[in-house]
């Protein structure tokens, strides 16, 4: 059973990465449709949102080829989701509000943060670097999505905890790794803490300190 543990962890990481990619792709579709971009624009924003954070992580960790290049299925899935979502939104006249984007974005943040921490920890990197890899993986796709839609990234402007949630979730992941818990517990703990904190922050309207400008 012990010999199968690395395979189980790799499979779990891949499942989390697929789920995170889909979640961020949906947030990109909603954002682009809200901005009334054409079908090409919607697909491009969905791709950038889905692959941006993981690509930067792979660059920093010197992982070649990038995760979505290694798994061509990722590209086909995101393309299919983008096109189906466009058809669904046009037929159902779904209310494209900023709030509709927050929920897939929240889930993707937690999932990608867990994958980023796990990949860095597997390479034996220092604790702070592992946590920062989780933050970068979880946050950067959404940053690129907003930039491409002509906005200051929401992660930087709404003063509600976002990157901070991934930062806390990353430390929870590392804490669980040093505890006698099942192999899956660290990654799942990171997902639940990161996404859970973000959900509570949105629900309770938590706000980070803002600048006082006279």
């Amino acid at each position: 059973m012990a010999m199968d543990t690395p395979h189980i962890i790799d499979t779990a990481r891949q499942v989390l990465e697929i789920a995170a990619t889909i979640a961020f792709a949906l947030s990109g579709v909603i954002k682009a449709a809200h901005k009334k971009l054409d079908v090409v624009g919607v697909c491009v924003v969905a791709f950038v949102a889905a692959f941006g954070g993981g690509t930067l992580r792979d660059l920093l960790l010197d992982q070649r080829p990038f995760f979505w290049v290694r798994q061509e299925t990722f590209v086909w899935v995101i393309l299919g989701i983008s096109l189906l979502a466009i058809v669904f939104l046009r037929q159902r006249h779904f209310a494209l509000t900023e709030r509709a984007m927050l929920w897939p974005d929240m889930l993707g943040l937690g999932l990608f943060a867990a994958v980023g921490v796990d990949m860095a920890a597997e390479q034996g990197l220092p604790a702070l670097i592992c946590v920062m890899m989780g933050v970068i993986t979880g946050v950067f796709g959404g940053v690129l999505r907003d930039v491409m839609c002509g906005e200051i990234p929401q992660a930087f402007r709404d003063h509600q905890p976002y990157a901070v949630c991934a930062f806390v979730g990353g430390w929870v992941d590392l804490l669980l790794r040093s505890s006698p818990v099942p192999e899956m517990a660290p990654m799942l703990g990171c997902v639940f803490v990161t996404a859970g904190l973000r959900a509570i922050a949105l629900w309770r309207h938590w706000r980070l300190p803002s600048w006082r400008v006279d």
Side-chain angles (χ1 to χ4, degrees), residues 13-103:
R13 182 197 299 155
Q14 187 173 19
V15 170
L16 291 180
E17 194 154 48
I18 292 171
T21 302
I22 292 173
F24 263 118
L26 288 174
S27 78
V29 169
I30 294 172
K31 185 76 169 186
H34 179 69
K35 292 291 185 178
K36 295 181 172 58
L37 302 186
D38 63 19
V39 62
V40 175
V42 171
C43 290
V44 169
V45 173
F47 272 88
V48 168
F51 299 141
T55 300
L56 179 57
R57 175 205 63 213
D58 287 353
L59 275 171
L60 295 173
L61 295 179
D62 198 23
Q63 295 286 321
R64 298 291 193 284
F66 300 139
F67 78 102
W68 54 273
V69 178
R70 293 194 301 270
Q71 299 288 337
E72 180 188 2
T73 306
F74 274 113
V75 180
W76 286 111
V77 168
I78 299 308
L79 180 60
I81 287 174
S82 300
L83 296 176
L84 288 174
I86 292 169
V87 173
F88 175 82
L89 293 173
R90 287 175 63 88
Q91 290 182 348
R92 301 290 180 177
H93 303 290
F94 185 72
L96 295 173
T97 64
E98 286 286 333
R99 195 159 189 84
M101 185 197 68
L102 294 178
W103 301 106

Coordinates of all heavy atoms in Angstrom, one line a residue, residues 13-103:
R13 N -3.7 15.1 -7.1 CA -3.3 16.4 -7.6 C -3.9 16.7 -9.0 O -4.3 17.8 -9.2 CB -1.8 16.5 -7.6 CG -1.3 17.9 -8.0 CD 0.2 17.8 -8.4 NE 1.0 17.3 -7.3 CZ 2.2 16.7 -7.5 NH1 2.6 16.5 -8.7 NH2 2.9 16.4 -6.5
Q14 N -3.9 15.7 -9.8 CA -4.4 15.9 -11.2 C -5.9 16.2 -11.2 O -6.3 17.1 -11.9 CB -4.0 14.7 -12.1 CG -4.4 14.9 -13.5 CD -3.9 13.8 -14.4 OE1 -3.7 12.7 -13.9 NE2 -3.8 14.0 -15.7
V15 N -6.6 15.5 -10.3 CA -8.0 15.7 -10.2 C -8.3 17.1 -9.7 O -9.2 17.9 -10.3 CB -8.7 14.7 -9.3 CG1 -10.1 15.1 -9.0 CG2 -8.6 13.3 -9.9
L16 N -7.6 17.6 -8.7 CA -7.7 18.9 -8.2 C -7.4 20.0 -9.3 O -8.1 21.0 -9.4 CB -6.9 19.2 -7.0 CG -7.2 18.4 -5.7 CD1 -6.3 18.7 -4.6 CD2 -8.7 18.7 -5.3
E17 N -6.3 19.7 -10.1 CA -5.9 20.7 -11.1 C -7.0 20.7 -12.2 O -7.3 21.8 -12.7 CB -4.6 20.3 -11.7 CG -3.9 21.4 -12.5 CD -2.4 21.2 -12.5 OE1 -1.9 20.1 -12.8 OE2 -1.7 22.2 -12.3
I18 N -7.6 19.6 -12.6 CA -8.6 19.6 -13.6 C -9.8 20.4 -13.1 O -10.4 21.3 -13.8 CB -9.1 18.2 -13.9 CG1 -7.9 17.5 -14.7 CG2 -10.4 18.2 -14.7 CD1 -8.2 16.0 -14.8
A19 N -10.2 20.2 -11.8 CA -11.4 20.9 -11.2 C -11.1 22.4 -11.1 O -12.0 23.2 -11.4 CB -11.7 20.3 -9.9
A20 N -9.9 22.7 -10.7 CA -9.5 24.2 -10.6 C -9.5 24.8 -12.0 O -10.0 26.0 -12.1 CB -8.1 24.3 -10.0
T21 N -9.0 24.1 -13.0 CA -8.9 24.7 -14.3 C -10.3 25.0 -14.9 O -10.6 26.0 -15.5 CB -8.2 23.7 -15.3 OG1 -6.9 23.5 -14.8 CG2 -8.1 24.3 -16.7
I22 N -11.2 24.0 -14.7 CA -12.6 24.2 -15.1 C -13.3 25.4 -14.4 O -14.0 26.2 -15.0 CB -13.4 22.9 -14.9 CG1 -12.9 21.8 -15.8 CG2 -14.9 23.1 -15.1 CD1 -13.5 20.4 -15.6
A23 N -13.0 25.4 -13.1 CA -13.7 26.5 -12.3 C -13.2 27.9 -12.7 O -14.0 28.8 -12.9 CB -13.3 26.3 -10.8
F24 N -11.9 28.0 -13.0 CA -11.4 29.3 -13.4 C -11.8 29.6 -14.9 O -12.0 30.8 -15.2 CB -9.9 29.4 -13.3 CG -9.4 30.1 -12.0 CD1 -8.7 29.4 -11.1 CD2 -9.8 31.4 -11.8 CE1 -8.3 30.0 -9.9 CE2 -9.4 32.0 -10.6 CZ -8.6 31.3 -9.7
A25 N -11.9 28.6 -15.7 CA -12.4 28.8 -17.1 C -13.8 29.3 -17.0 O -14.2 30.3 -17.8 CB -12.4 27.5 -17.8
L26 N -14.7 28.8 -16.2 CA -16.0 29.3 -16.0 C -16.1 30.8 -15.6 O -16.9 31.6 -16.0 CB -16.8 28.4 -15.1 CG -17.2 27.0 -15.6 CD1 -17.8 26.2 -14.5 CD2 -18.1 27.1 -16.8
S27 N -15.2 31.1 -14.6 CA -15.1 32.5 -14.2 C -14.7 33.4 -15.3 O -15.2 34.5 -15.4 CB -14.1 32.6 -13.0 OG -12.8 32.6 -13.4
G28 N -13.8 32.9 -16.2 CA -13.4 33.7 -17.3 C -14.5 33.8 -18.3 O -14.6 34.9 -18.9
V29 N -15.2 32.8 -18.6 CA -16.4 32.9 -19.5 C -17.4 33.9 -19.0 O -17.9 34.8 -19.8 CB -17.1 31.5 -19.7 CG1 -18.4 31.6 -20.4 CG2 -16.2 30.5 -20.4
I30 N -17.7 33.8 -17.7 CA -18.7 34.8 -17.2 C -18.2 36.2 -17.2 O -18.9 37.1 -17.6 CB -19.0 34.4 -15.7 CG1 -19.7 33.0 -15.7 CG2 -19.9 35.5 -15.0 CD1 -19.9 32.5 -14.3
K31 N -16.9 36.4 -16.9 CA -16.4 37.7 -17.0 C -16.4 38.3 -18.4 O -16.8 39.4 -18.6 CB -14.9 37.7 -16.5 CG -14.2 39.1 -16.3 CD -14.7 39.8 -15.1 CE -13.9 41.0 -14.8 NZ -14.3 41.7 -13.6
A32 N -15.9 37.5 -19.3 CA -15.9 37.9 -20.7 C -17.2 38.2 -21.3 O -17.5 39.2 -22.0 CB -15.1 36.9 -21.6
A33 N -18.2 37.3 -21.0 CA -19.6 37.5 -21.4 C -20.2 38.8 -20.8 O -20.9 39.5 -21.5 CB -20.4 36.3 -21.1
H34 N -19.9 39.0 -19.5 CA -20.3 40.2 -18.9 C -19.8 41.5 -19.6 O -20.5 42.5 -19.7 CB -19.9 40.2 -17.4 CG -20.3 41.4 -16.6 ND1 -21.6 41.7 -16.3 CD2 -19.6 42.5 -16.1 CE1 -21.6 42.8 -15.6 NE2 -20.4 43.3 -15.5
K35 N -18.6 41.4 -20.1 CA -18.0 42.5 -20.9 C -18.5 42.5 -22.3 O -18.0 43.4 -23.1 CB -16.5 42.4 -20.8 CG -15.9 42.6 -19.5 CD -16.0 44.1 -19.0 CE -15.3 44.3 -17.7 NZ -15.4 45.7 -17.3
K36 N -19.3 41.6 -22.7 CA -19.9 41.5 -24.1 C -18.8 41.3 -25.1 O -18.9 41.9 -26.2 CB -20.7 42.7 -24.4 CG -22.0 42.9 -23.5 CD -22.8 44.1 -23.9 CE -24.1 44.1 -23.2 NZ -24.0 44.1 -21.7
L37 N -17.8 40.4 -24.8 CA -16.8 40.1 -25.8 C -17.4 39.1 -26.8 O -18.3 38.4 -26.5 CB -15.6 39.5 -25.1 CG -14.8 40.3 -24.1 CD1 -13.6 39.7 -23.6 CD2 -14.5 41.7 -24.6
D38 N -16.8 39.0 -28.0 CA -17.2 38.0 -28.9 C -16.7 36.6 -28.6 O -16.1 36.5 -27.6 CB -16.8 38.4 -30.4 CG -15.3 38.4 -30.6 OD1 -14.6 37.8 -29.8 OD2 -14.8 39.1 -31.5
V39 N -17.1 35.6 -29.4 CA -16.8 34.3 -29.0 C -15.3 34.0 -28.9 O -14.9 33.3 -28.0 CB -17.4 33.3 -30.1 CG1 -16.8 33.5 -31.4 CG2 -17.3 31.8 -29.6
V40 N -14.5 34.6 -29.7 CA -13.0 34.5 -29.6 C -12.5 35.1 -28.3 O -11.7 34.5 -27.6 CB -12.3 35.1 -30.8 CG1 -10.8 35.1 -30.7 CG2 -12.7 34.4 -32.1
G41 N -13.0 36.3 -28.0 CA -12.6 36.9 -26.8 C -13.0 36.1 -25.5 O -12.2 36.0 -24.6
V42 N -14.2 35.5 -25.5 CA -14.6 34.7 -24.4 C -13.7 33.5 -24.3 O -13.2 33.2 -23.1 CB -16.1 34.2 -24.6 CG1 -16.4 33.1 -23.6 CG2 -17.0 35.4 -24.6
C43 N -13.4 32.8 -25.4 CA -12.5 31.7 -25.3 C -11.1 32.0 -24.8 O -10.5 31.3 -24.0 CB -12.4 31.0 -26.7 SG -13.9 30.1 -27.2
V44 N -10.6 33.2 -25.3 CA -9.2 33.6 -24.9 C -9.2 33.9 -23.4 O -8.3 33.5 -22.7 CB -8.8 34.8 -25.7 CG1 -7.5 35.4 -25.1 CG2 -8.5 34.4 -27.2
V45 N -10.2 34.7 -22.9 CA -10.2 35.0 -21.5 C -10.3 33.7 -20.6 O -9.7 33.6 -19.6 CB -11.3 36.0 -21.2 CG1 -11.5 36.2 -19.7 CG2 -11.0 37.3 -21.9
A46 N -11.2 32.8 -21.1 CA -11.3 31.5 -20.4 C -10.0 30.8 -20.3 O -9.6 30.2 -19.2 CB -12.4 30.7 -21.0
F47 N -9.3 30.7 -21.4 CA -8.0 30.0 -21.4 C -7.0 30.7 -20.5 O -6.3 30.1 -19.7 CB -7.4 30.0 -22.9 CG -7.8 28.9 -23.7 CD1 -9.0 28.9 -24.4 CD2 -7.1 27.7 -23.8 CE1 -9.4 27.9 -25.2 CE2 -7.5 26.6 -24.5 CZ -8.7 26.7 -25.2
V48 N -6.9 32.0 -20.6 CA -6.0 32.8 -19.7 C -6.3 32.6 -18.2 O -5.4 32.4 -17.4 CB -6.0 34.3 -20.1 CG1 -5.2 35.1 -19.0 CG2 -5.4 34.5 -21.5
A49 N -7.6 32.6 -17.9 CA -8.0 32.5 -16.5 C -7.7 31.0 -16.0 O -7.2 30.8 -14.9 CB -9.5 32.7 -16.3
A50 N -7.9 30.1 -16.9 CA -7.7 28.7 -16.5 C -6.2 28.3 -16.4 O -5.8 27.5 -15.5 CB -8.4 27.8 -17.5
F51 N -5.4 28.8 -17.3 CA -4.0 28.4 -17.4 C -3.0 29.3 -16.9 O -1.8 29.0 -16.7 CB -3.7 28.0 -18.9 CG -4.5 27.0 -19.5 CD1 -4.9 27.1 -20.8 CD2 -4.9 25.9 -18.7 CE1 -5.7 26.1 -21.4 CE2 -5.7 24.9 -19.3 CZ -6.1 25.0 -20.6
G52 N -3.4 30.6 -16.6 CA -2.4 31.6 -16.2 C -1.6 31.3 -14.9 O -0.4 31.3 -14.9
G53 N -2.3 31.0 -13.9 CA -1.6 30.7 -12.6 C -0.7 29.5 -12.6 O 0.4 29.5 -12.2
G54 N -1.2 28.4 -13.2 CA -0.5 27.2 -13.3 C 0.8 27.3 -14.2 O 1.8 26.7 -14.0
T55 N 0.6 28.1 -15.3 CA 1.7 28.4 -16.2 C 2.9 29.1 -15.5 O 4.1 28.8 -15.6 CB 1.3 29.1 -17.4 OG1 0.3 28.4 -18.1 CG2 2.5 29.4 -18.4
L56 N 2.5 30.2 -14.7 CA 3.5 30.9 -14.0 C 4.2 30.0 -12.9 O 5.4 30.1 -12.7 CB 2.9 32.1 -13.3 CG 3.8 33.0 -12.5 CD1 5.0 33.5 -13.3 CD2 3.1 34.2 -11.9
R57 N 3.4 29.2 -12.3 CA 4.0 28.2 -11.3 C 5.0 27.3 -12.0 O 6.1 27.1 -11.4 CB 2.8 27.4 -10.7 CG 3.3 26.3 -9.8 CD 2.2 25.2 -9.7 NE 2.0 24.6 -11.0 CZ 0.8 24.1 -11.4 NH1 -0.2 24.2 -10.6 NH2 0.8 23.5 -12.6
D58 N 4.6 26.8 -13.1 CA 5.5 25.9 -13.8 C 6.8 26.6 -14.2 O 7.9 26.0 -14.2 CB 4.8 25.2 -15.0 CG 3.8 24.2 -14.6 OD1 3.7 23.8 -13.4 OD2 3.0 23.7 -15.5
L59 N 6.7 27.8 -14.7 CA 7.8 28.6 -15.0 C 8.8 28.8 -13.8 O 10.0 28.6 -13.9 CB 7.4 30.0 -15.5 CG 7.1 30.2 -17.0 CD1 6.5 31.6 -17.2 CD2 8.3 30.0 -17.9
L60 N 8.2 29.1 -12.7 CA 9.0 29.4 -11.5 C 9.6 28.1 -10.9 O 10.7 28.1 -10.3 CB 8.2 30.0 -10.4 CG 7.7 31.5 -10.7 CD1 6.7 32.0 -9.7 CD2 8.9 32.4 -10.9
L61 N 8.9 27.0 -11.1 CA 9.4 25.7 -10.6 C 10.2 24.9 -11.6 O 10.6 23.8 -11.4 CB 8.2 24.8 -10.1 CG 7.5 25.3 -8.9 CD1 6.3 24.4 -8.5 CD2 8.4 25.5 -7.7
D62 N 10.4 25.6 -12.8 CA 11.1 25.0 -13.9 C 10.6 23.6 -14.4 O 11.3 22.6 -14.6 CB 12.6 24.8 -13.5 CG 13.5 24.6 -14.7 OD1 13.1 25.0 -15.8 OD2 14.6 24.0 -14.6
Q63 N 9.2 23.6 -14.5 CA 8.5 22.4 -15.0 C 8.3 22.6 -16.5 O 7.6 23.5 -16.9 CB 7.2 22.3 -14.2 CG 7.3 22.0 -12.8 CD 7.8 20.6 -12.5 OE1 7.4 19.6 -13.1 NE2 8.6 20.4 -11.5
R64 N 8.8 21.7 -17.3 CA 8.6 21.7 -18.7 C 8.2 20.3 -19.2 O 8.8 19.3 -18.7 CB 9.9 22.1 -19.5 CG 10.4 23.5 -19.1 CD 9.5 24.6 -19.7 NE 10.1 25.9 -19.7 CZ 10.3 26.6 -18.6 NH1 9.8 26.1 -17.4 NH2 10.9 27.8 -18.6
P65 N 7.3 20.2 -20.1 CA 6.4 21.3 -20.6 C 5.4 21.7 -19.6 O 5.2 21.0 -18.6 CB 5.8 20.7 -21.9 CG 5.7 19.2 -21.6 CD 7.0 18.9 -20.8
F66 N 4.7 22.8 -19.8 CA 3.7 23.3 -18.9 C 2.6 22.3 -18.7 O 2.3 21.4 -19.6 CB 3.1 24.6 -19.4 CG 4.1 25.7 -19.5 CD1 4.1 26.6 -20.6 CD2 5.1 25.9 -18.6 CE1 5.0 27.6 -20.7 CE2 6.1 26.9 -18.7 CZ 6.0 27.7 -19.8
F67 N 1.9 22.4 -17.6 CA 0.9 21.4 -17.2 C -0.2 21.2 -18.3 O -0.6 20.0 -18.6 CB 0.2 21.7 -15.9 CG -0.8 22.8 -15.9 CD1 -2.2 22.4 -15.9 CD2 -0.5 24.1 -16.0 CE1 -3.2 23.4 -15.9 CE2 -1.5 25.1 -16.0 CZ -2.8 24.7 -15.9
W68 N -0.6 22.2 -19.0 CA -1.6 22.1 -20.0 C -1.1 21.6 -21.3 O -1.8 21.1 -22.2 CB -2.4 23.4 -20.2 CG -1.6 24.6 -20.5 CD1 -1.0 25.4 -19.5 CD2 -1.3 25.1 -21.7 NE1 -0.3 26.5 -20.2 CE2 -0.5 26.3 -21.5 CE3 -1.6 24.8 -23.0 CZ2 0.0 27.1 -22.6 CZ3 -1.1 25.5 -24.1 CH2 -0.3 26.7 -23.9
V69 N 0.2 21.7 -21.5 CA 0.9 21.2 -22.7 C 1.1 19.7 -22.5 O 0.9 18.9 -23.5 CB 2.2 21.9 -23.0 CG1 2.9 21.2 -24.2 CG2 2.0 23.4 -23.2
R70 N 1.4 19.2 -21.3 CA 1.5 17.8 -21.0 C 0.2 17.1 -21.2 O 0.2 15.9 -21.5 CB 2.0 17.6 -19.6 CG 3.5 18.1 -19.3 CD 4.0 17.5 -18.0 NE 3.2 17.9 -16.9 CZ 3.4 19.0 -16.1 NH1 4.4 19.8 -16.5 NH2 2.7 19.3 -15.1
Q71 N -0.9 17.8 -20.8 CA -2.2 17.2 -20.9 C -3.1 17.9 -21.9 O -3.8 18.9 -21.6 CB -2.9 17.2 -19.5 CG -2.1 16.4 -18.4 CD -2.2 14.9 -18.6 OE1 -3.2 14.4 -19.3 NE2 -1.3 14.2 -18.1
E72 N -3.0 17.5 -23.2 CA -3.7 18.1 -24.2 C -5.2 18.2 -24.0 O -6.0 19.1 -24.4 CB -3.5 17.4 -25.6 CG -4.2 18.0 -26.8 CD -4.1 17.1 -28.0 OE1 -3.5 16.1 -27.9 OE2 -4.6 17.5 -29.1
T73 N -5.7 17.2 -23.2 CA -7.1 17.1 -22.8 C -7.6 18.4 -22.2 O -8.8 18.9 -22.4 CB -7.4 16.0 -21.9 OG1 -6.9 14.8 -22.5 CG2 -8.9 15.8 -21.6
F74 N -6.7 19.1 -21.4 CA -7.1 20.3 -20.7 C -7.6 21.3 -21.8 O -8.6 22.0 -21.6 CB -5.9 20.9 -20.0 CG -5.7 20.4 -18.6 CD1 -4.6 19.6 -18.3 CD2 -6.5 20.7 -17.6 CE1 -4.3 19.2 -17.0 CE2 -6.3 20.3 -16.3 CZ -5.2 19.5 -16.0
V75 N -6.9 21.4 -22.9 CA -7.2 22.4 -23.9 C -8.5 22.2 -24.5 O -9.4 23.1 -24.7 CB -6.1 22.5 -24.9 CG1 -6.4 23.6 -26.0 CG2 -4.7 22.8 -24.3
W76 N -8.8 20.9 -24.9 CA -10.0 20.5 -25.5 C -11.2 20.7 -24.5 O -12.3 21.2 -24.9 CB -10.0 19.1 -25.9 CG -9.2 18.9 -27.2 CD1 -8.0 18.2 -27.3 CD2 -9.5 19.3 -28.5 NE1 -7.6 18.2 -28.6 CE2 -8.4 18.9 -29.3 CE3 -10.6 20.0 -29.0 CZ2 -8.4 19.2 -30.7 CZ3 -10.5 20.3 -30.4 CH2 -9.5 19.9 -31.2
V77 N -11.0 20.4 -23.2 CA -12.1 20.5 -22.2 C -12.4 22.0 -22.1 O -13.6 22.4 -22.0 CB -11.6 19.9 -20.9 CG1 -12.6 20.4 -19.8 CG2 -11.6 18.4 -21.0
I78 N -11.4 22.9 -21.9 CA -11.7 24.3 -21.8 C -12.4 24.9 -23.0 O -13.3 25.7 -22.9 CB -10.4 25.1 -21.4 CG1 -9.8 24.5 -20.1 CG2 -10.7 26.6 -21.3 CD1 -10.8 24.5 -19.0
L79 N -11.9 24.5 -24.2 CA -12.6 25.0 -25.4 C -14.0 24.6 -25.4 O -14.9 25.4 -25.8 CB -11.8 24.4 -26.6 CG -12.4 24.9 -28.0 CD1 -12.4 26.4 -28.1 CD2 -11.6 24.2 -29.1
G80 N -14.3 23.3 -25.1 CA -15.7 22.8 -25.1 C -16.5 23.5 -24.1 O -17.7 23.9 -24.4
I81 N -16.0 23.7 -22.9 CA -16.7 24.4 -21.8 C -17.0 25.8 -22.2 O -18.2 26.3 -22.0 CB -15.9 24.4 -20.5 CG1 -15.9 23.0 -19.9 CG2 -16.5 25.4 -19.5 CD1 -15.0 22.8 -18.7
S82 N -16.1 26.5 -22.8 CA -16.3 27.9 -23.3 C -17.4 28.0 -24.3 O -18.3 28.8 -24.2 CB -15.0 28.4 -23.9 OG -13.9 28.4 -22.9
L83 N -17.4 27.1 -25.3 CA -18.4 27.1 -26.3 C -19.8 26.8 -25.8 O -20.8 27.4 -26.1 CB -18.0 26.2 -27.5 CG -16.7 26.6 -28.2 CD1 -16.4 25.6 -29.3 CD2 -16.9 28.0 -28.8
L84 N -19.8 25.7 -24.9 CA -21.1 25.3 -24.4 C -21.7 26.4 -23.4 O -22.9 26.6 -23.4 CB -21.0 24.0 -23.6 CG -20.8 22.7 -24.5 CD1 -20.5 21.5 -23.6 CD2 -22.0 22.5 -25.3
A85 N -20.8 27.0 -22.7 CA -21.3 28.1 -21.8 C -21.8 29.2 -22.5 O -22.8 29.8 -22.1 CB -20.1 28.5 -20.9
I86 N -21.2 29.6 -23.7 CA -21.7 30.7 -24.5 C -23.1 30.4 -25.0 O -24.0 31.2 -24.9 CB -20.8 31.0 -25.7 CG1 -19.4 31.5 -25.2 CG2 -21.4 31.9 -26.7 CD1 -18.4 31.6 -26.2
V87 N -23.3 29.1 -25.5 CA -24.6 28.7 -26.0 C -25.7 28.8 -24.8 O -26.8 29.3 -25.0 CB -24.6 27.3 -26.6 CG1 -26.0 26.8 -26.9 CG2 -23.7 27.3 -27.8
F88 N -25.3 28.3 -23.7 CA -26.2 28.2 -22.5 C -26.6 29.6 -22.1 O -27.7 29.9 -21.8 CB -25.5 27.5 -21.3 CG -26.3 27.5 -20.1 CD1 -27.4 26.6 -19.9 CD2 -26.1 28.4 -19.1 CE1 -28.1 26.6 -18.7 CE2 -26.8 28.5 -17.9 CZ -27.8 27.5 -17.7
L89 N -25.6 30.5 -22.0 CA -25.8 31.9 -21.5 C -26.7 32.6 -22.5 O -27.6 33.4 -22.1 CB -24.5 32.6 -21.3 CG -23.6 32.1 -20.2 CD1 -22.3 32.9 -20.2 CD2 -24.3 32.3 -18.8
R90 N -26.5 32.4 -23.8 CA -27.4 33.1 -24.8 C -28.8 32.6 -24.8 O -29.7 33.4 -25.0 CB -26.8 32.9 -26.2 CG -25.5 33.7 -26.4 CD -24.9 33.3 -27.8 NE -25.8 33.7 -28.9 CZ -25.8 34.9 -29.5 NH1 -25.0 35.8 -29.1 NH2 -26.7 35.1 -30.4
Q91 N -29.0 31.3 -24.5 CA -30.3 30.7 -24.6 C -31.1 31.0 -23.3 O -32.3 31.2 -23.3 CB -30.3 29.2 -24.8 CG -29.8 28.8 -26.2 CD -29.8 27.3 -26.5 OE1 -29.9 26.5 -25.5 NE2 -29.7 26.9 -27.7
R92 N -30.4 30.9 -22.1 CA -31.0 31.1 -20.8 C -31.1 32.5 -20.3 O -31.8 32.8 -19.3 CB -30.3 30.2 -19.8 CG -30.3 28.7 -20.2 CD -31.6 28.1 -20.1 NE -31.6 26.7 -20.4 CZ -32.6 25.8 -20.3 NH1 -33.8 26.3 -19.9 NH2 -32.5 24.6 -20.7
H93 N -30.4 33.4 -21.0 CA -30.4 34.8 -20.6 C -30.0 34.9 -19.1 O -30.6 35.6 -18.3 CB -31.7 35.4 -20.8 CG -32.1 35.4 -22.2 ND1 -31.5 36.1 -23.2 CD2 -33.1 34.6 -22.8 CE1 -32.1 35.8 -24.4 NE2 -33.1 34.9 -24.2
F94 N -28.9 34.2 -18.8 CA -28.4 34.2 -17.4 C -27.9 35.6 -17.0 O -27.3 36.3 -17.8 CB -27.2 33.2 -17.3 CG -26.7 33.0 -15.9 CD1 -27.4 32.3 -15.0 CD2 -25.4 33.5 -15.6 CE1 -26.9 32.1 -13.7 CE2 -24.9 33.3 -14.3 CZ -25.7 32.6 -13.4
A95 N -28.2 35.9 -15.7 CA -27.8 37.3 -15.2 C -26.3 37.3 -15.0 O -25.8 36.7 -14.1 CB -28.6 37.6 -13.9
L96 N -25.6 38.0 -15.9 CA -24.2 38.1 -15.8 C -23.7 39.2 -14.9 O -23.4 40.3 -15.3 CB -23.6 38.3 -17.2 CG -23.9 37.1 -18.2 CD1 -23.4 37.5 -19.6 CD2 -23.2 35.9 -17.7
T97 N -23.7 38.9 -13.6 CA -23.3 39.9 -12.6 C -21.9 39.5 -12.2 O -21.4 38.4 -12.3 CB -24.2 39.9 -11.4 OG1 -24.2 38.6 -10.8 CG2 -25.7 40.2 -11.9
E98 N -21.2 40.5 -11.6 CA -19.9 40.3 -11.0 C -20.0 39.2 -9.9 O -19.1 38.4 -9.8 CB -19.3 41.5 -10.4 CG -18.9 42.6 -11.4 CD -17.5 42.2 -12.0 OE1 -16.7 41.5 -11.4 OE2 -17.3 42.6 -13.2
R99 N -21.1 39.1 -9.2 CA -21.2 38.1 -8.1 C -21.3 36.7 -8.7 O -20.9 35.8 -8.0 CB -22.4 38.5 -7.3 CG -22.5 37.7 -6.0 CD -23.4 38.4 -5.0 NE -23.2 37.8 -3.6 CZ -22.3 38.2 -2.8 NH1 -21.4 39.1 -3.1 NH2 -22.2 37.6 -1.6
A100 N -21.9 36.6 -9.9 CA -22.0 35.2 -10.5 C -20.6 34.6 -10.7 O -20.4 33.4 -10.7 CB -22.7 35.3 -11.8
M101 N -19.6 35.5 -10.9 CA -18.2 35.0 -11.2 C -17.5 34.6 -9.9 O -16.5 33.9 -10.0 CB -17.4 36.1 -11.9 CG -16.1 35.8 -12.4 SD -15.1 37.2 -12.7 CE -14.9 37.9 -11.1
L102 N -17.9 35.2 -8.8 CA -17.2 35.0 -7.5 C -17.1 33.5 -7.1 O -16.1 33.1 -6.5 CB -17.8 35.8 -6.4 CG -17.7 37.4 -6.6 CD1 -18.4 38.1 -5.5 CD2 -16.2 37.8 -6.7
W103 N -18.2 32.8 -7.4 CA -18.2 31.4 -6.8 C -17.3 30.4 -7.5 O -16.6 29.7 -6.9 CB -19.7 30.9 -6.8 CG -20.5 31.9 -6.0 CD1 -21.4 32.8 -6.4 CD2 -20.5 32.0 -4.5 NE1 -21.9 33.5 -5.3 CE2 -21.4 33.0 -4.2 CE3 -19.7 31.4 -3.5 CZ2 -21.5 33.4 -2.9 CZ3 -19.9 31.8 -2.2 CH2 -20.8 32.8 -1.9

